[in-house]
Amino acid sequence: MLAHPRHDRLWAAILPLLPTADLAHDRDHVLRVYAWALRLAPEAGADPDLAGAAALVHDLVNIPKDSPDRPLGGEASAKASRGHLDTAGYAPEEREAVVEAVRTCSWSRGLAPTGPLGRVLQDADRLDALGAVGLARNLACAQSFAARSPSRFYDPQDPLGDSGRALDDLRNAADHLPRKLLRLARSMHTETARAEAVRRHAFLEAWLGQLTHEAAVARPWA
Ligand code: ADP
Ligand code: NI
């Protein structure tokens, strides 16, 4: 049972629609974003019922990360969520507030949230790209790219890109940290999310340090 009866109705409708083959965007991601959205809502001045609903529907349409249409996932999810929000009992003005938050959520789309609900959803979704879970999601994405194009965990000659080579996160999973993940902490809107993001950021930095150490041993033969 979720926090509000309307969330239960929404979840029952969308659970069968969530992807099962993509570990980076599975139901557990949605439920973690949901938990953080509920937690952050009061601080941001957002209605927790609407914040939870936004989290539940935010990844309804999942466009592969290596597709040129990827930045449009948020807009597609926003559009697809309308009917489900109506059925779950949200009034038109509530529904549109949720839809607007989902529309601006994505990092790759680069839109700024236009209200408290959007700020809560963006913070909650971005937290899930950091820390231990964020790292697992990053590597799950890299595995899915590997099925379609040459891809590896890191560049064996230069894992951190210290040489000034172009970062390419479709080719090297570790490049996604400097390209995106290590920029997320400073993009947080709420203080609580920022404090959590700083801790998760430090974990990713530590992982990169350990990766550099381990990669150095194999470098002469890589
Ligand atoms: P966006 O907001 O741009 O749609 P998401 O936040 O949905 O992106 O990204 C979801 C997850 O996919 C994140 O955990 C992120 O680290 C991972 N991811 C996205 N792009 C890449 C990439 N090029 N390489 C590895 N992981 C990626
Ligand atoms: Ni998400």
Side-chain angles (χ1 to χ4, degrees):
M1 208 173 70
L2 299 178
H4 294 270
R6 295 196 289 191
H7 293 169
D8 286 324
R9 291 203 286 278
L10 199 51
W11 189 232
I14 63 170
L15 187 53
L17 307 175
L18 294 178
T20 50
D22 177 5
L23 285 179
H25 293 90
D26 61 359
R27 68 165 74 181
D28 297 327
H29 164 65
V30 175
L31 289 174
R32 287 187 300 265
V33 175
Y34 174 75
W36 273 100
L38 291 180
R39 186 182 292 194
L40 297 174
E43 178 177 337
D47 177 345
D49 185 346
L50 299 187
L56 292 177
V57 299
H58 87 279
D59 272 337
L60 209 45
V61 177
N62 182 22
I63 298 176
K65 296 290 157 222
D66 49 355
S67 153
D69 290 336
R70 161 193 174 179
L72 302 177
E75 265 130 321
S77 294
K79 211 167 157 193
S81 67
R82 281 207 173 85
H84 298 297
L85 290 162
D86 287 340
T87 309
Y90 290 92
E93 66 277 12
E94 294 178 314
R95 178 195 69 203
E96 289 312 307
V98 170
V99 165
E100 173 61 8
V102 173
R103 186 184 75 81
T104 58
C105 181
S106 148
W107 165 268
S108 54
R109 188 74 176 85
L111 299 174
T114 55
L117 213 49
R119 289 191 276 277
V120 164
L121 181 61
Q122 220 176 53
D123 279 8
D125 194 33
R126 288 180 181 185
L127 277 178
D128 210 52
L130 292 173
V133 162
L135 180 60
R137 295 180 69 220
N138 179 23
L139 299 177
C141 272
Q143 176 68 73
S144 71
F145 301 157
R148 294 190 282 278
S149 61
S151 187
R152 57 208 318 180
F153 288 134
Y154 61 90
D155 178 332
Q157 292 302 328
D158 181 16
L160 301 188
D162 290 333
S163 64
R165 68 174 171 79
L167 296 172
D168 181 354
D169 62 0
L170 293 180
R171 208 177 175 90
N172 307 303
D175 283 9
H176 193 54
L177 279 74
R179 283 266 292 129
K180 170 181 169 184
L181 303 186
L182 297 176
R183 296 158 68 190
L184 293 177
R186 69 184 89 113
S187 80
M188 295 292 166
H189 306 285
T190 60
E191 270 317 306
T192 301
R194 192 189 315 277
E196 179 67 18
V198 165
R199 285 190 286 275
R200 294 181 182 202
H201 181 110
F203 170 81
L204 292 180
E205 295 267 27
W207 181 74
L208 282 178
Q210 179 70 16
L211 178 66
T212 311
H213 169 72
E214 294 177 19
V217 179
R219 186 161 304 141
W221 293 279

